[in-house]
Amino acid sequence: MQDRMRPLIAGNWKMNGTGAALEQIAKLKTLLEEAGNIESDVLVCPPATLLHRAAQSAEGSPIRIGGQDCHSNPNGAHTGDVSATMLFDAGASHVILGHSERRTDHGETSQAVNEKVQAALSAGLIPIVCVGETEAQRLDGTANQVVNEQLSTSLPDNFGKTRIIIAYEPVWAIGTGRTPTLDDIAQMHAHIRTLLVSRFGSTGENALLLYGGSVKPSNAEEILGTADVNGALVGGASLLANDFFSIIVAT
Ligand code: PEP
């Protein structure tokens, strides 16, 4: 049986927040300071426009800052895009890649995610790769197969040399208030673990598997206590410091 890994609680602010939202980082910093010894790593992924200021606000605290996407090239003629190098330069340590909203809104394929993962690794960022099935895929019994395909294509072979972080986010649970049963979460995390171990060996054993999709203060403890769940990727409930803090201390 594996020793308990230090969990990661990551907040994805999506396209929410202007300068005023930085107050939430300051508040979270205070809550974490007051709490003292926290048993999780904490990451906040604000919109790119806030990243640098968020990193400055988080200075001197355990809060780390991440991006929500990056381009696969380090620079060049890609109007409107942000590279992994730029995220790193602005103060990011991590980047979320392959979020279902990117896959849907921007037609992002697993091959494109693979290239972004390589760019993130070259820039010194830790990628958090998102996978997950739609409701139709869960209902027709192909959830495992969909996740297999997403994982096998999205992860480059050299991913095995670094820390792997995967977020299992069933698309139908994101922002809906609905979550899978704890058994379904445990089953999918075990499935992902098996795939990672067979491809990456001990690096797969030590991969952090986050669950994402309608995690909130009221369900965090049971979800985070589920087998093979090593943290959470939190959308809506990460926008307010008090809610996000309640999830952080539920580990
Ligand atoms: C997400 O966007 O990654 C997410 C999990 O959102 P929510 O927590 O709002 O469902």
Side-chain angles (χ1 to χ4, degrees):
M1 171 106 174
Q2 198 179 44
D3 289 341
R4 187 168 190 264
M5 283 185 255
R6 188 171 166 81
L8 171 66
I9 307 299
N12 173 13
W13 284 10
K14 311 192 188 197
M15 197 174 72
N16 294 298
T18 54
L22 295 169
E23 273 173 28
Q24 299 302 320
I25 305 230
K27 196 166 180 183
L28 183 61
K29 194 172 166 178
T30 306
L31 289 167
L32 290 169
E33 261 165 29
E34 284 169 3
N37 198 14
I38 294 289
E39 290 183 10
S40 307
D41 289 330
V42 178
L43 177 71
V44 174
C45 302
T49 48
L50 289 182
L51 215 139
H52 184 57
R53 279 183 289 166
Q56 286 176 326
S57 305
E59 248 172 42
S61 84
I63 306 168
R64 304 184 82 191
I65 300 297
Q68 300 176 10
D69 175 49
C70 69
H71 197 275
S72 54
N73 287 340
N75 49 48
H78 303 288
T79 303
D81 280 314
V82 175
S83 74
T85 317
M86 291 167 179
L87 295 177
F88 185 82
D89 179 59
S93 53
H94 293 65
V95 60
I96 299 170
L97 293 173
H99 190 283
S100 65
E101 287 154 13
R102 301 282 321 166
R103 292 180 189 260
T104 305
D105 296 356
H106 299 273
E108 217 168 271
T109 61
S110 291
Q111 184 50 43
V113 176
N114 179 308
E115 286 158 24
K116 291 177 179 211
V117 170
Q118 300 198 52
L121 294 174
S122 306
L125 294 175
I126 302 173
I128 300 175
V129 178
C130 302
V131 294
E133 80 285 356
T134 62
E135 183 153 40
Q137 291 162 339
R138 163 116 337 232
L139 292 174
D140 71 17
T142 56
N144 281 9
Q145 190 189 322
V146 167
V147 167
N148 283 359
E149 284 163 9
Q150 288 174 335
L151 273 181
S152 68
T153 309
S154 303
L155 304 187
D157 289 332
N158 64 347
F159 205 19
K161 300 199 183 81
T162 178
R163 175 120 239 199
I164 299 178
I165 307 183
I166 305 295
Y168 167 56
E169 300 206 301
V171 179
W172 51 274
I174 296 179
T176 60
R178 295 163 59 207
T179 53
T181 65
L182 298 178
D183 280 352
D184 283 345
I185 295 175
Q187 182 280 327
M188 184 58 88
H189 279 231
H191 177 66
I192 294 172
R193 177 78 60 201
T194 304
L195 293 172
L196 293 178
V197 171
S198 73
R199 183 160 169 205
F200 298 112
S202 61
T203 311
E205 267 167 43
N206 294 316
L208 284 181
L209 307 187
L210 314 184
Y211 167 78
S214 296
V215 176
K216 41 192 183 231
S218 58
N219 62 16
E221 191 172 350
E222 58 177 13
I223 291 176
L224 291 166
T226 301
D228 247 332
V229 173
N230 314 117
L233 181 53
V234 184
S238 69
L239 294 173
L240 293 177
N242 282 331
D243 288 348
F244 194 45
F245 178 73
S246 303
I247 295 171
I248 293 165
V249 292
T251 51

